[in-house]
Amino acid sequence: MTEHPTSHEGRKAMAARPQESARPRQETAATAAAAAVAVPAPAPGGGNGTDGAAARREGDRLRFVGAATRRIARGLDLDEIVLGLCRATVPTFSDAILVYLRDPLPVGDERPAEPFVLRLRRTDRLRLTDLEGEELVLVPDPDPTPAAELCEVRSGSALAEVLRGVRPVPGDSAAARAALPELLGPEHPVPGGQRAILAPLRGRRRVIGAAVFLRRPERAGFEPNDLLVAAQLATHTALGIDKAVLYGREAYIADELQRTMLPDSLPQPTGVRLASRYLPAAETARVGGDWYDAIPLPGSRGALVVGDVMGHSMTSAAIMGQLRTTAQTLAGLDLPPQEVLHHLDEQAQRLGENRMATCMYAVYDPVSHRITIANAGHPPPILLHLGGRAEVLRVPPGAPIGVGGVDFEAVELDAPAGATLLLYTDGLVESRLRDVWTGIEQLRERLAATAQLTGPDHSPPLEALCDDVLDMLGPGDRDDDIALLAARFDGIAPSDVAYWFLEPEDAAPGRARRLARRALERWGLEELSDSVELLISEVVTNAVRYAERPVTLRLLRTDVLRCEVGDDSPQLPRQRRARDTDEGGRGLFLVNRLARRWGATRLSGGKVVWFELATR
């Protein structure tokens, strides 16, 4: 390689100060790097001196290629790899570089998009400048190397032939003289002589771009051996880009898989407010088996679920998704918490050996202000009371899901209004720096301290509480995924609930209308009387037709008015279009038109049909 001379201004400045040569001039890192591959001056008399200079030049090239390829290999993503190529070559190997990549970049075995378009991904250019007349330093050139932003590679063109040939070509070759104007654009000048190298970037399967190395006129041109250097740089860059693109696609798939396995948004069951958080173990391992869920249940109840599948892989995420789907299906059957865990255990065994997971399943009833919890080897929940006291609930630990042949036990506990239940996975409380019980105690103390800030009569905001809990994590505490579900119990006051039993007889619809009217008058909702009486009459009539035991009627007043009618018949009603000659079949049509929402849920002992009306 040749020596990198200074600019014209630099030479004039040095000539104007001959007396300052005695003062040592400090060399910057950039000029030192340029000197590392500079060509030594020939020894007088030629012969062995010339051979020694050539050997030193070759040694400098090898050291430069080794350092440059290591710098390129350090990049993990596309931009880092391209930046590594630019920083390694400018100004040591060239004064400027242009890197073009295919747009869009094909991934793996994907068929490349047509037409074949190259986009200028990055251009770097440095220049020498004289600062305060003391030393020469290399600074970024404010004027980028002129080049076209986009280039369409036409089949059979000179540029297409160079890219197909894969090998770098010097700028003074016939192929480069025809291809460079096509790449840079006809309005941009092309360096003459041996001052440019056009190097195709070929990945494992196809050409993915091109790099152009440029030198200024005052610098010696490229030598034939520099083509080998350019080929090495282009090969390492292209293979690195291939890996980065594949890694990016895998990371995208992993993110999408994890995102689809977790709920996009949490429902808001009656009488409870929810907040959640999920944190992966690390940026490089964003897929795991932790999950959370909230599922509305019949009778205005809600199921709260947090689970953790062993491992941090696609397999763990897939198993987590199957267990979450199973839990949602079992919740729809309104099974007790211990039965849900029992069926999850059976499902995990069907998925294969060593499919282990922990899970906490809780059912909250806002009318009775009670919560029923069953545990399968999961860390115990913490209940934060309104006064600021944080309590670790005593729930039987149980065996993890997938062990098989074990029973699960459920406990029923008070869930007072204003209290907050925190369900979490072990990544929040366990790490290589602390055991799980130490972490649980630290979490309990953190919750109590946070509650003290809002006073004894106010609960801390849920979102802020979740953020504050995660702030307790230290640098060494992110060994595992973290799923967090916080539930604030508001409950439903007894004065906002009306409940009756109706005998399955013809007079039941009329009695239901009268009872509902009185409840609405007591609540000051007389304007809803006509709609509520009509809908209750239709639903109760349908229940009485099939029921053998007393029918239940319940009205709940929250931000909406909810009516629930239960009977012992498992057959769910279905809306259908009645013909003009039919005497019935229009009841659910009216419910669907007048109610804000409605639905039917099968229970173990029958079903519940419900509808809601807006109160304001």
Side-chain angles (χ1 to χ4, degrees):
M1 295 182 60
T2 57
E3 190 176 12
H4 191 316
T6 62
S7 63
H8 294 298
E9 294 79 0
R11 288 198 300 270
K12 292 179 180 178
M14 288 187 289
R17 296 191 298 272
Q19 303 300 324
E20 296 179 7
S21 59
R23 181 171 53 183
R25 175 171 296 172
Q26 296 180 349
E27 195 173 37
T28 65
T31 55
V37 291
V39 180
N48 293 335
T50 303
D51 295 340
R56 284 193 294 272
R57 286 198 298 271
E58 290 306 312
D60 290 339
R61 284 193 180 93
L62 291 176
R63 285 190 290 273
F64 164 72
V65 170
T69 53
R70 285 193 299 271
R71 183 163 191 171
I72 294 170
R74 284 200 297 266
L76 293 179
D77 59 26
L78 183 62
D79 291 331
E80 288 181 350
I81 293 170
V82 174
L83 178 62
L85 172 65
C86 296
R87 291 290 185 263
T89 55
V90 178
T92 309
F93 182 68
S94 63
D95 296 317
I97 183 174
L98 296 90
V99 181
Y100 284 85
L101 294 181
R102 197 162 188 157
D103 186 28
L105 273 171
V107 181
D109 296 330
E110 289 181 359
R111 181 180 295 276
E114 295 296 340
F116 186 171
V117 175
L118 292 177
R119 179 182 293 274
L120 183 61
R121 184 78 184 197
R122 186 178 181 91
T123 174
D124 271 15
R125 181 181 181 183
L126 299 179
R127 62 185 174 88
L128 284 167
T129 186
D130 195 358
L131 292 181
E132 299 181 0
E134 293 190 2
E135 61 176 290
L136 297 175
V137 297
L138 286 159
V139 298
D141 194 332
D143 298 324
T145 302
E149 179 73 18
L150 290 175
C151 171
E152 181 177 344
V153 183
R154 297 181 301 276
S155 178
S157 65
L159 179 58
E161 292 301 320
V162 171
L163 296 180
R164 185 180 296 112
V166 177
R167 296 180 181 277
V169 294
D172 59 348
S173 65
R177 286 198 301 269
L180 281 173
E182 183 181 346
L183 179 63
L184 303 181
E187 67 276 11
H188 300 297
V190 178
Q194 297 178 344
R195 306 192 181 279
I197 293 178
L198 173 57
L201 301 177
R202 180 176 178 83
R204 290 172 178 79
R205 297 182 180 275
R206 59 184 64 87
V207 172
I208 60 174
V212 182
F213 303 94
L214 303 170
R215 284 184 179 176
R216 293 193 305 268
E218 61 267 24
R219 183 174 179 180
F222 290 107
E223 299 180 0
N225 284 343
D226 290 332
L227 294 176
L228 300 178
V229 175
Q232 287 285 332
L233 298 177
T235 299
H236 281 80
T237 301
L239 294 178
I241 290 173
D242 251 2
K243 290 181 181 179
V245 171
L246 287 172
Y247 171 77
R249 183 179 68 169
E250 291 180 358
Y252 171 78
I253 293 173
D255 285 344
E256 286 295 298
L257 177 62
Q258 186 72 59
R259 185 185 62 81
T260 55
M261 293 300 181
L262 296 173
D264 291 332
S265 60
L266 290 174
Q268 297 297 328
T270 304
V272 62
R273 287 172 287 164
L274 302 172
S276 62
R277 294 290 186 275
Y278 173 81
L279 290 180
E283 287 297 321
T284 55
R286 290 175 281 192
V287 180
D290 291 16
W291 91 92
Y292 60 87
D293 214 342
I295 309 166
L297 297 178
S300 300
R301 295 169 300 143
L304 309 175
V305 192
V306 168
D308 182 4
V309 178
M310 287 196 315
H312 307 93
S313 64
M314 296 285 227
T315 301
S316 300
I319 295 173
M320 177 267 285
Q322 295 184 67
L323 293 180
R324 179 177 175 236
T325 302
T326 303
Q328 290 178 328
T329 303
L330 295 170
L333 300 176
D334 199 27
L335 297 178
Q338 66 272 21
E339 288 297 319
V340 171
L341 295 184
H342 174 73
H343 288 291
L344 285 176
D345 179 59
E346 293 181 336
Q347 174 68 4
Q349 295 177 66
R350 285 191 290 267
L351 294 176
E353 297 181 358
N354 299 322
R355 305 305 191 195
M356 306 286 288
T358 63
C359 183
M360 182 78 67
Y361 188 93
V363 174
Y364 171 64
D365 188 340
V367 176
S368 64
H369 296 267
R370 304 280 286 177
I371 187 167
T372 305
I373 307 177
N375 188 9
H378 205 75
I382 297 179
L383 185 66
L384 179 62
H385 293 268
L386 184 59
R389 181 173 64 91
E391 173 188 8
V392 179
L393 298 182
R394 296 183 178 180
V395 180
I401 290 171
V403 172
V406 296
D407 291 329
F408 300 98
E409 182 181 353
V411 294
E412 187 174 349
L413 305 170
D414 287 329
T420 304
L421 183 71
L422 198 73
L423 303 177
Y424 53 92
T425 55
D426 58 359
L428 181 64
V429 294
E430 185 179 23
S431 70
R432 61 180 178 271
L433 301 179
R434 60 181 178 185
D435 62 81
V436 62
W437 288 107
T438 301
I440 291 174
E441 180 60 23
Q442 292 177 354
L443 175 59
R444 188 195 66 79
E445 294 175 352
R446 185 64 174 250
L447 289 172
T450 302
Q452 294 297 327
L453 299 177
T454 57
D457 299 328
H458 298 86
S459 301
L462 275 182
E463 298 293 338
L465 181 66
C466 291
D467 292 337
D468 191 66
V469 165
L470 295 180
D471 286 343
M472 68 178 280
L473 296 171
D477 294 334
R478 292 290 301 279
D479 300 332
D480 198 358
D481 304 347
I482 298 174
L484 178 66
L485 180 63
R488 174 70 43 76
F489 300 138
D490 294 329
I492 301 176
S495 58
D496 292 328
V497 181
Y499 192 88
W500 304 278
F501 286 96
L502 304 173
E503 293 296 328
E505 55 190 16
D506 294 341
R511 182 166 183 260
R513 289 194 296 268
R514 292 191 298 271
L515 294 172
R517 187 187 309 116
R518 294 171 188 169
L520 294 178
E521 291 174 354
R522 186 169 67 251
W523 291 335
L525 299 176
E526 294 89 346
E527 68 276 7
L528 298 179
S529 294
D530 293 340
S531 299
V532 170
E533 290 182 35
L534 176 60
L535 298 182
I536 282 181
S537 181
E538 294 294 341
V539 176
V540 171
T541 298
N542 188 70
V544 169
R545 181 179 303 173
Y546 301 103
E548 296 181 358
R549 297 177 182 175
V551 174
T552 60
L553 172 62
R554 185 166 73 168
L555 295 180
L556 303 172
R557 182 185 64 165
T558 55
D559 54 340
V560 297
L561 180 68
R562 182 182 177 98
C563 173
E564 300 173 349
V565 177
D567 61 73
D568 59 350
S569 173
Q571 182 178 357
L572 296 180
R574 293 286 185 265
Q575 183 181 351
R576 63 183 180 87
R577 182 176 296 276
R579 294 173 297 184
D580 294 339
T581 57
D582 291 342
E583 295 182 0
R586 297 177 177 83
L588 290 182
F589 177 77
L590 291 173
V591 174
N592 186 64
R593 291 297 300 270
L594 296 178
R596 178 190 178 197
R597 292 194 311 151
W598 76 278
T601 305
R602 183 178 285 111
L603 306 178
S604 57
K607 67 175 180 294
V608 169
V609 180
W610 57 269
F611 63 83
E612 293 178 351
L613 294 172
T615 57
R616 58 174 78 88

